[in-house]
C-alpha cells in the first residue's frame, strides 16, 4: 500500500536490570515495549493511550530513533530505521519529528526562538541554503500563529501555549511527513489546550501530516485521533477506529479505562457503567503470565494465565482485541 | 497536656467562642497579595464563600487564578513573605481565625480543618516511615504514646484501603505507588477527625483509573463522616462527578457561583461558558472545540473593570471600566460577575 508511511513489526524494547558495580550481572529486564505492531497512513492520526508505565513514551523514543529496539523493525517508507546507522539515520530522522510534553523544559532557555526553530537547519544544512533560513523561520512562526517579530525573544517571555507552538514550529522545520506528539497538551491549561489541539488539526489539513498522538487524556485523543491503540504493560490490547474503541470497546481494560474518565456533565452522575479497577499496574520487570491484565480483570479464568491472547478480531469483536472473552460493553454513555 | 474528656481525646480541645449554628467555614472578602520584585501580584481580590457540613464545594479555575492560594490562606500556610493577607475574614463556626492567637489557629487547623495536597511524594517526608509520620499527629495533638500512635496509624491505613496495612506502616513513602501515596495523604488528613477537608488537586498527578479510586474513596469518607469538602481543581469532569456547588475563579475573583447541575446546563458567566465549550468530551465525536483567545492576565497588571473582558466575546465598553462587575444574583443560588449575564444565559 503506497499510502502507508510507517509500520512497526513486533517491536520490542527491554531495558536490562543489572546488579553490582564492578562486575555487572544482568538479572532481568524491564519489558517496556513487548511486541507492538502498528501502522500509520498518510494524513491519519493514530492515538496511543494508556496509563503511566504502559510503555507509550518508550514507544515514542523508539519511533524517532532515540532508542534502539531490542528486536523488531520500524519501517518508514520501506526503510527499516532500526537497522540504519550514522548518516542514513540522520537522513531518515528528517521525516519523523517529535513534539515533546513539557514546553518548559524542552526549549533551551539560553537560545532565542529564532535559534531554537532554526537549529534543525544547522543539523541538516542541506535542507535550506543559509540565506533562506531566516525567511523560513519567519514562515514557520507565522504558520503556528506566533508573531514573527518575536524571533529574538527567549522562551521565558512566552506562555505555556506559545512555547508549545515554538516546539511545533521546530518539529515542522524539516518538513516531515510524520509528527509524533508525546503528551503535547497535558502540561497546558484547559483554555490553552483547545488552542493547541486546533492548531495541530489545521496544520494536518494544510500540510497533509500524519500524527502519532500519545496521551493519557482519552478525551483529547478522541477529539483528534482517527484510530486508537490502547496499551497496557508494553502491549497493544485493543486497536480500532475511534468509534470502535470509544463507543464499542471490547477489551476489559479499555472498558475500565473509559469508564474512569470523568465526563463534564453532572446529569450522567450515577447513570454510567462504572468499573473501578482494584490495585495497581504490575511491574513491567515481572509481568503476569498469559494475559497481562488478568491480575486486575474481573473476567479472568484459567486460560488467561496459560495462553496469551493475540491481538486479532474475534467473534464478538470486529476490530482487533487481545482478550479471550472480548465482548462489547458501552461505558461512556448513560445506561439507565 | 493530657486530654481530659473522651470528646477531647477524639476531636481535640474545643475552640472558645464557636457557634455551632454558624456555617462550618465562611470566607468573606478575602484579599491576598504577593509582594515580589516584579511588583505586587494581587492573587485574591475579594473572595467570599461558605461551606457547610456534608457539602462539597468545588473551586474551579486555571493555574494562577488564585484557587490554591485561597486554600493556603485558609490553612495558614501562605508563604509570608512574599504572600500577605491584606483583608477579609476566614471564619470557622463564626470565629475569625485570623484574629486568634497562633496557638488557637494551630488547634483549628489541626483538629477542624485538614488539607490533602496535590503532590503526595513531595508532601511526605522521605526519611521517615509512613507510620511514623501518621503516628506523629497523634503524639503531638493527642498526647499518645508511640505504640498507641502506631496502632492508630494502622487503623487509618486500613480505612483508606491500603492492603496489608500492618506491614506497609513501616514502609517509606518512595515504596508506595502514586495512588497509594495519595491514600496515605488522605489518611493523614483524616487522622484528627476534621470537620472540613480541603483537597487541592488531589488527583491531578494520577492516572484515570487511580483517579476514579481516589475520588470514590474521598466521596465515601465524606458521606460517612458528614464532612465539608472543598475540592480545588481545574478538571471540569471531576467536578461534574462529585461537587454540589461550584465557584469559578478567574484572576483572583469568583466570577460565577452556581449549583453543579445549573452551571453545566446553563452557565451564567462568559468564562464558564467558554471553558465548557473548549473541553473535549470522551462521549462525543466530531465536536467543535471553541478556543478562548489570549491568555489569563498577569496578576501584577490586572485589567481595569472585568478582568476577563480582553478575552470575552460579550465585552463592551462598560466592561473595560471600573468598578469590576459585582456578583449579580441571577437566581436563588446562582450569581454571576458579568454585566451581560442575561445574554450569556440566553434568557431575555
Amino acid at each position: 500500500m503506497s499510502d502507508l508511511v510507517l509500520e512497526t513489526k513486533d517491536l520490542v524494547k527491554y531495558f536490562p536490570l543489572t546488579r553490582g558495580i564492578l562486575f555487572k550481572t544482568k538479572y532481568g529486564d524491564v519489558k517496556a515495549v513487548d511486541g507492538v505492531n502498528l501502522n500509520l497512513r498518510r494524513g491519519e492520526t493514530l492515538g496511543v493511550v494508556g496509563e503511566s508505565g504502559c510503555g507509550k513514551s518508550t514507544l515514542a523514543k523508539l519511533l524517532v530513533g532515540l532508542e534502539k529496539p531490542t528486536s523488531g523493525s520500524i519501517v518508514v517508507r520501506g526503510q527499516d530505521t532500526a537497522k540504519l546507522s550514522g548518516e542514513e539515520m540522520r537522513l531518515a530522522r528528517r521525516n519523523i519529528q517529535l513534539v515533546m510534553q513539557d514546553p518548559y523544559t524542552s526549549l533551551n532557555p539560553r537560545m532565542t526562538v529564532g535559534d531554537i526553530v532554526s537549529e534543525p537547519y544547522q543539523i541538516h544544512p542541506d535542507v535550506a541554503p543559509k540565506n533562506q533560513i531566516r525567511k523560513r523561520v519567519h514562515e514557520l512562526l507565522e504558520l503556528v500563529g506566533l508573531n514573527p517579530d518575536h524571533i529574538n525573544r527567549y522562551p521565558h517571555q512566552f506562555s505555556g501555549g506559545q512555547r508549545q507552538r515554538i516546539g511545533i514550529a521546530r518539529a515542522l522545520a524539516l518538513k516531515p511527513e510524520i509528527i509524533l506528539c508525546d503528551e503535547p497538551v497535558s502540561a497546558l491549561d484547559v483554555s490553552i489546550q483547545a488552542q493547541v489541539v486546533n492548531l495541530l488539526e489545521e496544520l494536518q489539513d494544510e500540510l497533509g501530516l500524519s500524527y502519532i498522538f500519545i496521551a493519557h487524556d482519552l478525551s483529547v485523543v478522541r477529539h483528534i485521533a482517527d484510530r486508537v491503540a490502547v496499551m497496557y504493560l508494553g502491549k497493544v490490547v485493543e486497536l480500532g477506529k475511534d468509534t470502535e474503541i470509544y463507543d464499542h470497546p471490547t477489551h476489559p481494560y479499555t472498558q475500565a479505562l473509559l469508564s474512569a474518565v470523568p465526563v463534564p456533565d453532572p446529569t450522567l452522575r450515577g447513570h454510567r457503567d462504572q468499573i473501578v479497577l482494584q490495585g495497581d499496574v504490575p511491574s513491567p520487570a515481572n509481568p503476569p503470565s498469559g494475559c497481562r491484565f488478568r491480575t486486575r480483570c474481573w473476567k479472568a479464568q484459567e486460560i488467561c494465565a496459560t495462553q496469551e491472547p493475540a491481538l486479532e478480531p474475534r467473534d464478538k469483536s470486529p476490530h482487533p482485541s487481545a482478550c479471550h472473552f472480548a465482548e462489547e460493553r458501552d461505558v461512556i454513555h448513560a445506561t439507565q | 497536656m493530657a486530654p481530659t474528656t473522651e470528646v477531647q481525646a477524639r476531636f481535640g480541645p474545643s475552640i472558645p467562642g464557636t457557634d455551632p449554628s454558624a456555617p462550618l467555614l465562611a470566607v468573606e472578602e478575602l484579599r491576598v497579595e504577593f509582594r515580589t520584585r516584579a511588583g505586587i501580584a494581587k492573587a485574591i481580590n475579594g473572595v467570599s464563600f461558605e461551606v457547610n457540613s456534608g457539602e462539597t464545594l468545588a473551586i474551579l479555575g486555571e493555574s494562577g487564578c488564585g484557587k490554591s492560594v485561597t486554600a493556603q490562606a485558609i490553612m495558614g500556610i501562605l508563604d509570608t513573605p512574599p504572600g500577605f493577607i491584606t483583608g477579609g475574614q476566614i471564619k470557622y463556626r463564626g470565629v475569625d481565625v485570623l484574629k486568634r492567637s497562633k496557638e488557637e489557629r494551630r488547634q483549628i487547623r489541626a483538629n477542624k480543618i485538614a488539607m490533602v495536597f496535590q503532590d503526595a511524594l513531595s508532601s511526605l517526608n522521605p526519611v521517615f516511615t509512613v507510620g511514623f509520620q501518621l503516628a506523629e499527629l497523634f503524639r503531638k495533638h493527642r498526647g499518645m504514646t508511640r505504640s498507641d500512635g502506631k496502632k492508630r496509624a494502622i487503623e487509618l491505613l486500613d480505612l483508606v484501603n491500603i492492603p496489608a496495612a500492618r506491614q506497609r506502616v513501616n514502609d517509606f513513602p518512595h515504596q508506595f505507588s502514586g495512588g497509594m501515596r495519595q491514600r496515605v495523604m488522605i489518611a493523614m488528613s483524616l487522622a484528627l477527625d476534621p470537620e472540613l477537608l480541603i483537597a487541592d488537586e488531589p488527583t491531578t498527578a494520577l492516572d484515570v483509573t487511580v483517579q476514579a479510586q481516589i475520588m470514590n474513596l474521598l466521596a465515601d469518607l465524606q458521606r460517612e463522616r458528614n464532612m465539608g469538602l472543598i475540592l480545588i481543581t481545574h478538571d471540569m469532569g471531576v467536578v461534574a462527578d462529585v461537587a454540589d456547588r461550584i465557584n469559578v475563579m478567574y484572576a483572583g475573583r469568583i466570577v460565577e457561583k452556581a449549583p453543579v447541575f445549573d452551571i453545566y446546563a446553563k452557565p451564567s458567566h462568559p468564562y464558564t461558558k467558554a471553558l465548557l465549550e473548549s473541553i473535549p468530551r470522551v462521549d462525543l465525536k466530531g465536536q467543535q472545540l471553541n478556543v478562548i483567545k489570549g491568555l489569563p492576565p498577569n496578576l501584577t497588571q490586572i485589567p481595569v473593570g472585568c478582568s476577563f473582558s480582553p478575552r470575552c466575546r460579550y465585552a463592551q465598553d462598560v466592561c473595560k471600566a471600573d468598578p469590576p462587575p459585582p456578583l449579580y444574583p441571577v437566581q436563588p443560588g446562582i450569581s454571576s460577575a458579568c454585566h451581560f449575564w442575561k445574554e450569556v444565559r440566553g434568557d431575555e
Side-chain angles (χ1 to χ4, degrees):
Chain A
M1 229 157 63
S2 66
D3 65 345
L4 202 66
V5 289
L6 181 140
E7 194 177 15
T8 71
K9 281 182 197 143
D10 297 320
L11 195 60
V12 173
K13 178 70 188 176
Y14 288 173
F15 294 100
L17 290 165
T18 56
R19 207 181 333 229
I21 298 161
L22 267 182
F23 304 100
K24 283 194 177 162
T25 47
K26 192 176 137 189
Y27 67 93
D29 285 303
V30 172
K31 293 166 179 141
V33 172
D34 203 358
V36 166
N37 295 295
L38 291 173
N39 54 57
L40 181 71
R41 298 188 196 92
R42 184 182 305 282
E44 180 189 52
T45 303
L46 174 69
V48 179
V49 296
E51 294 179 282
S52 37
C54 74
K56 49 190 201 302
S57 286
T58 304
L59 179 67
K61 284 182 185 161
L62 289 170
L63 293 176
V64 291
L66 292 174
E67 293 277 0
K68 283 260 174 222
T70 308
S71 67
S73 64
I74 305 163
V75 182
V76 180
R77 281 177 158 183
Q79 211 181 14
D80 184 356
T81 60
K83 292 203 178 66
L84 297 180
S85 58
E87 181 61 16
E88 289 173 319
M89 188 65 210
R90 200 175 64 87
L91 289 173
R93 272 199 183 126
R94 283 180 193 175
N95 214 10
I96 172 160
Q97 291 284 315
L98 180 66
V99 175
M100 278 172 265
Q101 169 171 9
D102 186 351
Y104 294 85
T105 55
S106 62
L107 303 176
N108 188 335
R110 295 178 182 218
M111 285 166 77
T112 64
V113 172
D115 292 340
I116 290 169
V117 178
S118 65
E119 201 181 14
Y121 299 122
Q122 316 291 333
I123 298 161
H124 301 271
D126 46 325
V127 173
K130 261 200 171 135
N131 54 10
Q132 293 279 311
I133 291 176
R134 209 172 165 82
K135 193 171 142 253
R136 287 262 186 116
V137 172
H138 265 264
E139 287 167 4
L140 283 167
L141 291 180
E142 240 165 58
L143 189 66
V144 298
L146 288 172
N147 185 345
D149 296 340
H150 295 168
I151 191 164
N152 288 323
R153 291 197 180 180
Y154 287 89
H156 74 265
Q157 294 171 292
F158 293 89
S159 69
Q162 287 172 319
R163 278 184 231 204
Q164 200 54 294
R165 288 171 194 263
I166 299 169
I168 294 171
R170 174 173 62 184
L172 290 172
L174 300 174
K175 300 195 169 154
E177 277 183 294
I178 304 163
I179 296 215
L180 210 147
C181 307
D182 189 3
E183 304 268 10
V185 296
S186 48
L188 305 176
D189 261 321
V190 256
S191 78
I192 309 298
Q193 266 189 19
Q195 294 178 2
V196 173
V197 168
N198 283 1
L199 172 70
L200 286 170
E201 289 188 320
E202 283 160 25
L203 291 171
Q204 181 166 45
D205 292 344
E206 210 165 306
L207 307 172
L209 299 166
S210 305
Y211 289 140
I212 294 179
F213 195 96
I214 295 178
H216 69 274
D217 185 333
L218 287 113
S219 312
V220 173
V221 170
R222 157 135 235 196
H223 183 78
I224 200 166
D226 303 308
R227 282 190 308 133
V228 180
V230 183
M231 281 185 79
Y232 186 76
L233 272 184
K235 284 186 182 293
V236 175
V237 295
E238 191 167 354
L239 177 68
K241 288 195 205 102
D242 73 290
T243 46
E244 289 171 335
I245 298 290
Y246 283 88
D247 299 329
H248 309 284
T250 61
H251 195 283
Y253 178 64
T254 314
Q255 291 162 357
L257 199 60
L258 283 170
S259 87
V261 178
V263 175
D265 184 353
T267 57
L268 295 179
R269 208 188 268 184
H271 296 285
R272 276 171 69 205
D273 203 355
Q274 222 196 2
I275 307 165
V276 175
L277 286 182
Q278 298 306 314
D280 288 308
V281 183
S283 159
N286 187 17
S289 65
C291 171
R292 293 186 174 190
F293 184 59
R294 72 178 162 85
T295 50
R296 303 170 80 195
C297 184
W298 61 96
K299 285 185 177 174
Q301 298 190 12
E302 260 169 57
I303 183 177
C304 302
T306 53
Q307 198 185 331
E308 190 181 321
L311 180 65
E312 61 193 17
R314 289 163 191 275
D315 290 346
K316 288 180 179 169
S317 173
H319 58 274
S321 175
C323 176
H324 296 299
F325 306 103
E327 195 173 358
E328 191 186 320
R329 177 167 171 186
D330 184 1
V331 287
I332 58 172
H333 301 99
T335 48
Q336 296 137 25
Chain B
M1 44 165 225
T4 46
T5 67
E6 232 173 86
V7 176
Q8 283 193 16
R10 180 151 181 224
F11 297 105
S14 59
I15 312 292
T18 50
D19 172 8
S21 62
L24 177 56
L25 182 85
V27 174
E28 282 165 23
E29 280 300 311
L30 184 68
R31 288 176 187 274
V32 175
E33 61 184 36
F34 286 86
R35 296 171 192 157
T36 65
R37 251 186 230 174
I40 294 176
K42 296 196 166 154
I44 306 182
N45 306 300
V47 160
S48 307
F49 61 84
E50 269 178 27
V51 197
N52 289 304
S53 298
E55 180 186 50
T56 302
L57 172 75
I59 299 183
L60 186 77
E62 295 177 89
S63 38
C65 74
K67 53 191 197 302
S68 293
V69 176
T70 307
Q72 288 170 4
I74 296 169
M75 288 303 287
I77 52 170
L78 203 62
D79 277 333
T80 309
F84 294 90
I85 296 176
T86 54
Q89 298 177 315
I90 298 168
K91 287 180 179 167
Y92 160 75
R93 296 276 184 220
V95 171
D96 186 357
V97 298
L98 298 176
K99 293 211 176 71
R100 292 301 173 108
S101 68
K102 218 175 167 184
E103 179 54 28
E104 268 184 325
R105 289 172 68 176
R106 198 175 82 97
Q107 291 296 346
I108 292 175
R109 69 170 186 260
N111 298 310
K112 310 298 179 193
I113 308 176
M115 185 160 169
V116 178
F117 297 89
Q118 169 174 0
D119 186 354
L121 186 59
S122 57
S123 308
L124 294 167
N125 192 331
V127 301
F128 292 105
T129 63
V130 160
F132 178 86
Q133 295 182 53
L134 282 165
E136 196 176 20
L137 286 162
F138 296 107
R139 292 194 288 116
K140 295 279 183 217
H141 289 285
R142 298 287 183 268
M144 281 187 190
T145 60
R146 270 173 190 258
S147 58
D148 284 347
K150 195 161 189 175
K151 266 180 218 148
R152 290 301 310 273
I154 294 169
E155 286 170 32
L156 280 171
L157 292 182
D158 261 335
L159 179 78
V160 295
N161 305 329
I162 288 184
R166 196 162 290 278
Q167 284 88 51
R168 307 251 25 201
V169 75
N170 295 319
D171 281 355
F172 288 90
H174 72 267
Q175 292 169 294
F176 287 82
S177 69
M180 287 293 166
R181 267 182 228 136
Q182 199 55 281
R183 284 171 194 270
V184 173
M185 287 294 292
I186 292 173
M188 201 174 267
S189 68
L190 295 175
L192 303 178
D193 290 299
E195 294 174 47
L196 176 68
L197 188 64
I198 302 175
D200 186 2
E201 305 264 12
T203 58
T204 306
L206 305 175
D207 280 316
V208 274
T209 57
V210 184
Q211 167 172 294
Q213 294 171 3
I214 296 290
M215 288 316 298
N216 285 354
L217 174 69
L218 270 177
D220 289 347
L221 291 168
Q222 185 203 13
R223 212 172 309 124
E224 275 165 31
R225 295 161 173 247
N226 197 32
M227 277 190 306
L229 177 66
I230 299 180
L231 179 70
I232 293 175
T233 180
H234 67 275
D235 189 325
M236 311 203 62
V238 170
V239 170
D241 271 349
V242 299
D244 299 315
R245 287 189 298 123
I246 299 183
N247 287 352
V248 183
M249 280 189 79
Y250 187 79
R253 288 198 183 93
I254 293 179
V255 294
E256 180 168 359
K257 291 184 180 189
V260 65
F261 290 97
D262 298 278
I263 211 164
Y264 283 85
K266 213 177 206 189
S268 310
H269 193 278
Y271 176 60
T272 321
K273 191 172 180 179
L275 269 187
L276 282 168
E277 287 167 358
S278 72
I279 42 170
R281 282 178 58 156
V282 76
D283 56 343
L284 295 179
K285 178 64 192 165
Q287 218 183 334
Q288 196 66 41
L289 289 193
N290 215 330
V291 167
I292 308 180
K293 283 193 222 85
L295 304 167
N298 182 341
L299 293 175
T300 56
Q301 298 149 0
I302 296 178
V304 263
C306 170
S307 42
F308 186 61
S309 60
R311 305 173 75 186
C312 180
R313 60 191 131 132
Y314 296 91
Q316 295 187 17
D317 289 344
V318 59
C319 305
K320 296 184 169 87
D322 265 339
L327 273 170
Y328 293 106
V330 173
Q331 267 176 26
I334 306 179
S335 49
S336 161
C338 177
H339 295 304
F340 301 101
W341 59 267
K342 279 184 189 147
E343 282 87 337
V344 176
R345 286 174 66 85
D347 25 82
E348 280 310 313

